[in-house]
């Protein structure tokens, strides 16, 4: 009986230890050279968290499987312009094969804004879409 209780406990622990978050890609844009890609995605970590907008620089065939490595923001204020995915509005454009501009909604609560990821430099601009 103790053996079965141990097995059941291990199954519960393993089942609960995984990342509870899910990523839904909003937009992917390959660089003018074809790789890397800038990926905008919404990351949801359950009912107790709000929608966030996250951005990662990834290989052209890469999928976001964690939080954004370039930018992370949520809509902390009620008057923040939201994107169709529920998180703060953002627009990303390649300006060359190794630089991008990220325009994001005024009032978004920003947790991460890296100036460079994997050799891609980033300029950020707050706008009122």
């Amino acid at each position: 009986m103790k053996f079965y209780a141990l097995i059941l406990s291990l199954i519960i622990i393993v089942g609960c230890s995984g990342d509870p978050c899910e990523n839904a890609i909003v937009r992917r844009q390959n660089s003018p050279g074809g790789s890397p890609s800038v990926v905008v995605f919404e990351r949801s970590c359950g009912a107790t968290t709000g929608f966030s907008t996250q951005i990662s620089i990834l290989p052209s065939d890469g999928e976001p499987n964690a939080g954004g490595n370039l930018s992370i923001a949520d809509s902390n204020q009620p008057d923040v312009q939201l994107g169709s995915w529920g998180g703060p509005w953002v627009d990303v454009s390649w300006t060359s094969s190794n630089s991008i501009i990220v325009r994001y909604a005024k009032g978004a609560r920003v947790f991460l804004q890296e100036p460079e990821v994997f050799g891609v430099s980033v300029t950020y601009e707050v706008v009122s879409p």
Side-chain angles (χ1 to χ4, degrees):
M1 190 66 163
K2 287 183 182 181
F3 175 75
Y4 292 112
L6 176 64
I7 296 296
L8 180 60
S9 296
L10 287 173
I11 290 171
I12 291 171
I13 289 170
V14 169
C16 295
S17 65
D19 185 357
C21 301
E22 294 181 2
N23 295 334
I25 294 177
V26 172
R27 184 178 329 119
R28 173 190 300 272
Q29 294 177 336
N30 289 344
S31 76
S35 186
S37 292
V38 60
V39 180
V40 177
F41 59 99
E42 186 272 318
R43 184 166 174 84
S44 174
C45 294
T48 60
T49 62
F51 292 102
S52 67
T53 299
Q54 305 201 17
I55 306 171
S56 283
I57 300 293
L58 299 170
S60 60
D61 60 349
E63 295 291 324
N65 56 13
N69 64 14
L70 185 69
S71 177
I72 299 173
D74 73 6
S75 54
N76 186 42
Q77 305 298 322
D79 59 344
V80 173
Q81 176 71 35
L82 300 178
S84 61
W85 57 94
W89 175 89
V90 66
D91 181 62
V92 179
S93 301
W94 288 94
T95 57
S96 73
S97 60
N98 61 352
S99 64
I100 61 173
I101 185 166
V102 175
R103 295 177 179 93
Y104 64 95
K106 179 180 177 183
R109 182 170 56 170
V110 177
F111 296 97
L112 176 70
Q113 281 190 340
E114 293 292 340
E116 181 178 320
V117 174
F118 300 130
V120 176
S121 63
V122 186
T123 302
Y124 296 94
E125 182 180 322
V126 178
V127 296
S128 297

